Amino acid sequence: MRNGRAIKSLKLTKDNRNTLKRLLKLIFKTQPVWLFIAGVSIIISALSTVIGSLFLKTLIDKYITPLIHQATPNFNPLIRVLLMMVGIYVIGAIATFIYTQIMAILAQRVQYNLRDEMFTHMQTLPVKYFDNNDYGDIMSHYTNDIDTLLQMVGQSLPQFLSSITNFIMVLIAMVIISWELTLFSLAIFASSIIIIKTLTSRSGHYFTLQQKSLGDLDGYAEEMLTGQKVVKVFSHEKEAEANFDKLNNSLETDSGNANGFATLLFPIIGNLGDLLYVLTAVFGGALAVGHLATLTLGDLAAFLQLSRTFSQPIAQISMQLNSIVQALAGAQRIFALLDQESETDNGTITLQPATDSATHRKQWNWVIPKPDGSTSLLPLEGKITYSHVDFSYVPGKQILFDVSFNVNAGQKAAFVGETGAGKTTITDMLNRFYEIDSGTITYDDLDIRNIKKADLRHAMAIVLQDTHLFTGTVNDNIRYGRLDATDEEIQQAADLAQATDFINQLPDKFNTVITDDGGSLSAGQRQLLSIARAAIADPPVMILDEATSSIDTQTEKTVQTAMDNLMKGRTSLSIAHRLSTIYNADIIMVISGGKLIESGNHQQLMAQHGKYYQLYMDSFNGNAPTAIPPKTTN
Ligand SMILES: Nc1ncnc2c1ncn2[C@@H]1O[C@H](COP(=O)(O)OP(=O)(O)OP(=O)(O)O)[C@@H](O)[C@H]1O
């Protein structure tokens, strides 16, 4: 089961209690003063209910009953106390208004902070996290989980606290009036609690299933949306629909069960309240009539009123517990994301710009700290060396075996090999998306583990097979490579990337807004923009994953020219899917099953008559050109 989906049992287990504690701490940290005011308002609101009910006893015994025996009753004292009673309830209503408003605002604040914290933390997570969790799942933290949490902090939690406070105060007031009647009510209450507990634990279980089904459905819908073209191309619409129906059905069943239980709870508990009321009235009447307890008419009326308000919080507590339990599932998933370990970085070597005094060209230096606190400088050149590199994504399933090679600054290196051989994995090791198991990788003879990750990544640019464009103008998308690039530099990068022609045909040229990951552009055009983006970053090392997507021959030529331009004067590691593009590479490395099995230039490898020779002949269906293009260097 994947991390994001690992929802644990939702009974109020230790884990759940810890989540609740952590959440309460978070709420407290957000606005302690307002939280305190809300707490006081909850107490005032509960007090007004109790005092109002107790007033009923005084009202009946001291003001109404004596009036019955008076020939000319004076209603003024009665009106006075009635007004006082109204005053008490008004104060209670104001207090309720205050705490509900405060909690609603507080909930928004908590939600805002959590979203912010989640997004900030997400930026620090290693690529591994995104490789191992699907986007739908991660997205649902920002939508469902946060929403249920908002509901909980804004409504369920304050209502729950208010119900508990009411419950305690009402209980005290009931004992003051009659301990016998209170004991009787408590006995009935205890039986209700047992029933409620059974129901809520069942419903908690179903809510967990519901959240999980929702995550599955979201994940699937997202996957189908992003892969919609592939679904259509392979005519898998029916299967996609059938799978969706399956997930939708299980969501329906799970939410049916969860909500069925939740809606079942309210009437059951409501009726328990009525039962309590009737039984208390009968029992209280019997006590009074049988003179078994000193109960006045006022006592009985106030007690019945209290027992009414006593059963209400019970009904509410159980409902609110349901929402809280449901929100805790979301909170647990959010905290699980926040607890994901950030990418660690022990690198101390950094990059620093320097201007070459002779050429006035901007250059970069590695700044290497020394034990005595001083630093030494080393020019950034772009020499890459792998020594005996082993790597596994998952422990026990090794992908790279003893990979060693050297690419000098300015050289072109190309990786070839069957699909899944490990070409992309080799290049991913250089920017430390993953850590190698053993061996070393050096950049300008510096172990990359000693270089700060941000600076290491700054020292190279990647043009991926699947380009990603952000919503924004063409300018913005190219500038993503270097945020301080001027418009003129962007123009030059676009020229280098052969992208100017097509950009000028767009409605607003460089200011045309691109949406939907550049959906309105062709695969080749998207590739050219991503080449321009890499060109503007202008690092000495380029990693190029050649596009496998079918682009027409003319565009392919343009992309190739753009790539060649990009490689000029730099070290390049390219993953070649078409052998025709790598004749003039300085080193061609043949990868098979995670091992480097042959290396050399085109002529050397052809002369070996090994795997490369075979691949080359196969790619021309045995009709390889007899004259092999001569090796050229830039
Ligand atoms: N994130 C990952 N987690 C686990 N295994 C992975 C991951 N990425 C790749 N692999 C596995 O590593 C192996 C090498 O994959 P890699 O993408 O490096 O091959 P490749 O030679 O670049 O293939 P292609 O030419 O198809 O792009 C494959 O078996 C692949 O399934």
Side-chain angles (χ1 to χ4, degrees):
M1 187 183 274
R2 288 178 162 174
N3 277 345
R5 294 206 178 140
I7 309 168
K8 291 166 198 155
S9 159
L10 272 175
K11 283 176 214 152
L12 275 174
T13 54
K14 199 171 165 212
D15 263 5
N16 268 306
R17 279 199 296 273
N18 286 342
T19 309
L20 189 62
K21 254 194 235 160
R22 187 164 166 186
L23 192 64
L24 290 176
K25 240 190 232 168
L26 192 98
I27 300 170
F28 182 76
K29 218 175 63 189
T30 308
Q31 282 288 350
V33 177
W34 285 107
L35 197 67
F36 176 75
I37 299 175
V40 171
S41 304
I42 287 178
I43 294 173
I44 294 177
S45 154
L47 267 176
S48 83
T49 314
V50 173
I51 295 175
S53 301
L54 285 176
F55 225 77
L56 204 61
K57 167 186 158 62
T58 321
L59 195 73
I60 293 173
D61 291 344
K62 290 211 175 130
Y63 294 90
I64 298 177
T65 314
L67 281 182
I68 298 169
H69 306 292
Q70 286 170 13
T72 49
N74 176 8
F75 287 102
N76 287 343
L78 178 66
I79 292 169
R80 251 198 328 272
V81 283
L82 277 176
L83 284 175
M84 273 174 75
M85 207 163 156
V86 170
I88 290 166
Y89 280 121
V90 167
I91 291 174
I94 292 173
T96 308
F97 175 78
I98 291 176
Y99 84 73
T100 46
Q101 288 301 306
I102 290 179
M103 290 311 286
I105 296 168
L106 207 63
Q108 295 286 354
R109 196 79 221 162
V110 169
Q111 190 190 35
Y112 168 88
N113 287 349
L114 266 182
R115 272 210 184 109
D116 213 39
E117 208 177 318
M118 266 201 291
F119 194 77
T120 311
H121 185 67
M122 218 171 68
Q123 307 300 312
T124 70
L125 295 180
V127 168
K128 191 176 175 180
Y129 177 80
F130 301 97
D131 279 349
N132 293 340
N133 289 278
D134 59 40
Y135 294 159
D137 249 359
I138 303 176
M139 280 305 297
S140 74
H141 298 326
Y142 289 92
T143 49
N144 302 333
D145 296 342
I146 278 274
D147 279 348
T148 47
L149 206 63
L150 174 79
Q151 190 99 12
M152 171 193 173
V153 178
Q155 293 173 17
S156 320
L157 198 65
Q159 281 166 10
F160 178 73
L161 293 175
S162 149
S163 303
I164 296 265
T165 320
N166 265 325
F167 175 74
I168 295 169
M169 293 205 177
V170 168
L171 189 65
I172 295 170
M174 282 163 69
V175 173
I176 293 172
I177 296 175
S178 162
W179 65 265
E180 298 92 337
L181 266 183
T182 309
L183 270 186
F184 177 77
S185 304
L186 281 180
I188 300 174
F189 170 70
S191 2
S192 328
I193 284 287
I194 294 167
I195 299 170
I196 290 163
K197 223 178 154 201
T198 323
L199 291 177
T200 43
S201 70
R202 290 298 288 275
S203 115
H205 169 70
Y206 284 123
F207 271 121
T208 315
L209 293 180
Q210 183 195 358
Q211 289 285 90
K212 188 191 168 312
S213 297
L214 200 61
D216 288 347
L217 190 83
D218 276 358
Y220 188 75
E222 164 117 8
E223 207 173 293
M224 286 302 110
L225 270 176
T226 45
Q228 193 227 104
K229 275 192 191 153
V230 183
V231 175
K232 281 206 192 319
V233 166
F234 289 100
S235 307
H236 278 315
E237 289 97 330
K238 285 232 152 35
E239 287 90 332
E241 210 176 308
N243 283 337
F244 186 83
D245 282 350
K246 222 158 78 189
L247 291 169
N248 204 10
N249 280 339
S250 70
L251 175 61
E252 192 193 12
T253 314
D254 292 337
S255 54
N257 285 336
N259 293 308
F261 258 105
T263 45
L264 192 73
L265 275 174
F266 197 71
I268 290 181
I269 296 157
N271 288 335
L272 283 177
D274 289 339
L275 191 68
L276 177 67
Y277 188 79
V278 173
L279 291 177
T280 312
V282 173
F283 186 69
L287 283 182
V289 173
H291 297 289
L292 297 169
T294 48
L295 274 178
T296 63
L297 188 60
D299 282 334
L300 197 57
F303 194 94
L304 281 176
Q305 169 77 4
L306 283 169
S307 82
R308 223 338 163 222
T309 37
F310 178 73
S311 64
Q312 259 167 15
I314 304 170
Q316 282 159 5
I317 285 168
S318 62
M319 293 301 289
Q320 288 135 12
L321 256 181
N322 257 309
S323 317
I324 290 172
V325 165
Q326 190 185 2
L328 279 182
Q332 225 163 47
R333 283 153 54 100
I334 290 173
F335 289 144
L337 169 72
L338 292 178
D339 290 343
Q340 283 293 326
E341 248 179 72
S342 298
E343 211 175 355
T344 49
D345 190 1
N346 301 320
T348 50
I349 301 172
T350 52
L351 265 185
Q352 175 184 284
T355 308
D356 186 302
S357 51
T359 61
H360 296 287
R361 267 199 64 193
K362 204 166 183 192
Q363 287 195 328
W364 294 84
N365 283 325
W366 292 113
V367 183
I368 309 160
K370 290 202 227 158
D372 64 4
S374 65
T375 54
S376 64
L377 298 179
L378 183 77
L380 170 71
E381 287 182 334
K383 178 185 174 196
I384 304 295
T385 311
Y386 279 47
S387 307
H388 308 292
V389 171
D390 287 341
F391 172 72
S392 7
Y393 286 103
V394 192
K397 199 169 168 258
Q398 195 167 337
I399 300 288
L400 298 184
F401 300 84
D402 197 27
V403 174
S404 298
F405 62 84
N406 177 57
V407 185
N408 283 328
Q411 278 193 321
K412 276 186 194 175
F415 297 93
V416 294
E418 75 266 17
T419 179
K423 304 179 294 288
T424 310
T425 308
I426 291 179
T427 55
D428 274 353
M429 296 300 109
L430 184 59
N431 45 48
R432 286 182 70 199
F433 280 163
Y434 287 87
E435 296 297 334
I436 53 177
D437 299 345
S438 61
T440 39
I441 301 176
T442 60
Y443 190 126
D444 288 339
D445 294 324
L446 303 168
D447 190 327
I448 59 168
R449 278 172 288 217
N450 298 331
I451 304 174
K452 253 187 177 323
K453 278 185 181 169
D455 293 68
L456 173 70
R457 289 170 191 167
H458 204 78
M460 66 188 82
I462 310 177
V463 179
L464 295 170
Q465 277 186 35
D466 303 312
T467 53
H468 183 79
L469 299 175
F470 295 99
T471 301
T473 61
V474 169
N475 251 328
D476 296 339
N477 267 286
I478 299 179
R479 191 173 274 124
Y480 201 78
R482 181 160 56 85
L483 298 179
D484 62 359
T486 61
D487 284 355
E488 202 189 332
E489 287 169 323
I490 289 179
Q491 176 72 50
Q492 285 165 3
D495 286 348
L496 179 144
Q498 311 280 300
T500 315
D501 282 354
F502 97 81
I503 294 174
N504 281 335
Q505 281 167 24
L506 295 174
D508 290 316
K509 301 191 165 64
F510 278 82
N511 292 320
T512 309
V513 175
I514 295 172
T515 51
D516 289 337
D517 197 8
S520 55
L521 302 177
S522 75
Q525 290 168 337
R526 287 207 300 271
Q527 192 93 27
L528 294 184
L529 281 188
S530 85
I531 293 173
R533 185 192 280 168
I536 201 98
D538 194 23
V541 172
M542 285 285 169
I543 298 172
L544 306 163
D545 205 345
E546 195 180 75
T548 44
S549 48
S550 51
I551 46 179
D552 63 86
T553 331
Q554 188 52 44
T555 317
E556 192 186 314
K557 272 192 192 144
T558 316
V559 171
Q560 197 49 51
T561 314
M563 292 255 196
D564 287 343
N565 287 345
L566 193 62
M567 287 190 266
K568 247 176 234 158
R570 302 178 213 274
T571 312
S572 63
L573 305 180
S574 51
I575 299 165
H577 297 285
R578 279 177 289 262
L579 296 188
S580 55
T581 61
I582 55 162
Y583 292 133
N584 59 0
D586 298 295
I587 317 162
I588 298 168
M589 287 175 262
V590 185
I591 311 295
S592 179
K595 293 185 185 124
L596 173 57
I597 55 165
E598 283 171 28
S599 75
N601 64 31
H602 180 76
Q603 285 74 16
Q604 290 164 340
L605 292 179
M606 287 302 282
Q608 276 183 26
H609 278 248
K611 179 87 177 174
Y612 179 79
Y613 175 84
Q614 218 177 12
L615 284 171
Y616 183 78
M617 297 310 271
D618 287 352
S619 71
F620 289 97
N621 288 330
N623 299 316
T626 41
I628 296 163
K631 186 190 158 338
T632 54
T633 42
N634 286 306

